[in-house]
Each structure stands twice: as structure tokens, then as C-alpha cells.
């Protein structure tokens, strides 16, 4: 005889619904459209909508991607854990769209980009990486250094050195 699951289907559905509501609230607080959030998470707008509704048929990977695109993290913890990891500060997450006006070095490196004031994180990292030899890390604002490091950590890459150049 199979073991009884620890949660009823109603309880698990309620948890997924609450998680979906948190995602939607975060997206709205960031003033990000569902289309932009879905694009940043690498999924269709319909899939994001299903996640925000708490549908259990959406894969765990899609849930994790949607959360990461909104600066959230999916964590598993024991019920007994009282020292649960705290969410990162806003400066530690990657925005869905990187505003050029907020990052002077990126704006200078992206001189050839016309018709937009924002880039996706992948586009921003690509510009940093392709133009690493022109980066003036000493002149970078702390927020821009944090963005570059977060992009490299989350998306890979490595030719753009964060910190003073070697002598």
C-alpha cells in the first residue's frame, strides 16, 4: 500500500497558488509586463500566466526560471529550520531589463545600440564581455560593478574582469 502523502492535493494546490500570487505581486511591484518577464525567463507569456495562477502542471524548472527573472529564489528548507536563508538585497539580483541610464560604463560601451534605453541581461553581459578591454573598472559605480558580477555569476562569461587590472 502506498504511503499517504504529507499534504493533501488541496494543500499543495493552495501552496502553489500562494507562490504564484507572490510571483505576480513581485512582477507588478517591479512594474514589469508579463511579456517582458516571460521573455526574460525564457518562456511564453501563457506559461508565466499559468505559473502566476499556481497551476501544478508547469515544470519546476519553469517556476525557478520565472522566479530568477524577477529576482527571487526558490529555496527548499526543513519545517524545523528557524534560520531560513533570507532573500538577497535588491542590489544582488539581476533586473529583467537593464536601463542604460543607470550604468554609465555600459551606456558608453553600448554606443552602437539605437532605439532602446534598456537591454536584456544577456545583451548587457554580451556588451560587457565584447568590450572588456575598454572597461574602466576604477570609474565604475558600485552598483554597476555589482551588476557586472551578478551577470557573470548568473549567465557565465569571464573575460570582463571586475576589479583593478593586474599590473
Amino acid at each position: 500500500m502506498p504511503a499517504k502523502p504529507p499534504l493533501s492535493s488541496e494543500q499543495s494546490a493552495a501552496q502553489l497558488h500562494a507562490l504564484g500570487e507572490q510571483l505576480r505581486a513581485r512582477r507588478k511591484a517591479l512594474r514589469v509586463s508579463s511579456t517582458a518577464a516571460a521573455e526574460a525567463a525564457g518562456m511564453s507569456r501563457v506559461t508565466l500566466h499559468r505559473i502566476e495562477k499556481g497551476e501544478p502542471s508547469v515544470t519546476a524548472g519553469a517556476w525557478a526560471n520565472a522566479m530568477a527573472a524577477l529576482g527571487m529564489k526558490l529555496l527548499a528548507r526543513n519545517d524545523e529550520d528557524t534560520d531560513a536563508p533570507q532573500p538577497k538585497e535588491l542590489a544582488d539580483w539581476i533586473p529583467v531589463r537593464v536601463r542604460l541610464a543607470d550604468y554609465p560604463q555600459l551606456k558608453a560601451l553600448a554606443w552602437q545600440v539605437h532605439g532602446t534605453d534598456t537591454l536584456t541581461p544577456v545583451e548587457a553581459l554580451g556588451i560587457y564581455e565584447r568590450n572588456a578591454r575598454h572597461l574602466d573598472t576604477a570609474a565604475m559605480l558600485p552598483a554597476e560593478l555589482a551588476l557586472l558580477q551578478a551577470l557573470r555569476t548568473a549567465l557565465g562569461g569571464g573575460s570582463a574582469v571586475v576589479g583593478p587590472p593586474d599590473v
Side-chain angles (χ1 to χ4, degrees):
M1 167 138 303
K4 182 180 175 192
L7 294 176
S8 70
S9 59
E10 292 84 22
Q11 289 171 318
S12 2
Q15 285 183 349
L16 286 175
H17 182 73
L19 184 58
E21 284 181 350
Q22 286 179 1
L23 267 137
R24 184 171 191 272
R26 172 72 172 182
R27 180 177 61 76
K28 294 283 189 181
L30 293 172
R31 298 172 140 186
V32 174
S33 72
S34 59
T35 303
E39 179 184 309
M43 64 184 62
S44 71
R45 186 189 53 75
V46 172
T47 301
L48 180 65
H49 177 74
R50 291 174 56 214
I51 288 170
E52 289 180 352
K53 291 293 182 189
E55 290 188 17
S57 61
V58 180
T59 66
W63 279 85
N65 286 342
M67 293 179 82
L70 295 170
M72 301 170 79
K73 186 183 255 185
L74 183 60
L75 298 173
R77 63 179 178 93
N78 297 328
D79 285 339
E80 304 88 36
D81 287 348
T82 55
D83 296 326
Q86 297 300 311
K88 291 184 175 184
E89 296 295 321
L90 287 179
D92 293 338
W93 64 272
I94 300 171
V96 173
R97 299 292 292 180
V98 179
R99 286 176 27 113
L100 291 173
D102 295 341
Y103 305 101
Q105 287 282 315
L106 179 60
K107 185 175 182 177
L109 296 175
W111 60 269
Q112 77 283 10
V113 177
H114 300 288
T116 185
D117 295 329
T118 62
L119 301 171
T120 66
V122 173
E123 292 169 335
L125 180 62
I127 289 172
Y128 277 128
E129 293 293 320
R130 283 190 305 276
N131 298 290
R133 66 189 178 281
H134 301 294
L135 274 177
D136 183 3
T137 55
M140 289 177 84
L141 301 172
E144 189 164 10
L145 282 169
L147 172 71
L148 179 54
Q149 187 61 46
L151 290 171
R152 290 182 63 222
T153 301
L155 303 174
S159 64
V161 177
V162 176
D166 293 333
V167 179

